[in-house]
Amino acid sequence: MTIVVTRDELVARRNRILQSLGTSIEALRERAESGSPSAEEWEAIADLEEISFLLDDSADDF
């Protein structure tokens, strides 16, 4: 079975993740670079990396 997800749905999912954390992507990137994200943020980062891959954004970023 193939799951089809549109670009708009992926962007909306990314926005929901960030909104649920109450942070911006820039602030989350800074915490990830410093190694200080919470467990919830690490999980969100993994989701954001997958979304970034599917959107064909930079592979080493979220």
Side-chain angles (χ1 to χ4, degrees), residues 1-7 9-10 54:
M1 176 169 76
T2 302
I3 299 172
V4 178
V5 181
T6 68
R7 181 174 186 79
E9 290 170 327
L10 290 169
L54 292 170

Side-chain angles (χ1 to χ4, degrees), residues 6-52:
T6 68
R7 181 174 186 79
D8 288 341
E9 290 170 327
L10 290 169
V11 170
R13 171 96 173 108
R14 179 173 56 195
N15 291 337
R16 281 192 307 273
I17 290 169
L18 292 169
Q19 190 174 40
S20 74
L21 294 173
T23 192
S24 68
I25 196 137
E26 293 82 11
L28 187 56
R29 285 179 180 143
E30 287 177 18
R31 283 195 294 285
E33 287 176 12
S34 69
S36 64
S38 67
E40 180 182 18
E41 289 172 331
W42 277 122
E43 184 176 333
I45 288 168
D47 290 342
L48 293 169
E49 287 173 338
E50 291 173 5
I51 291 169
S52 180

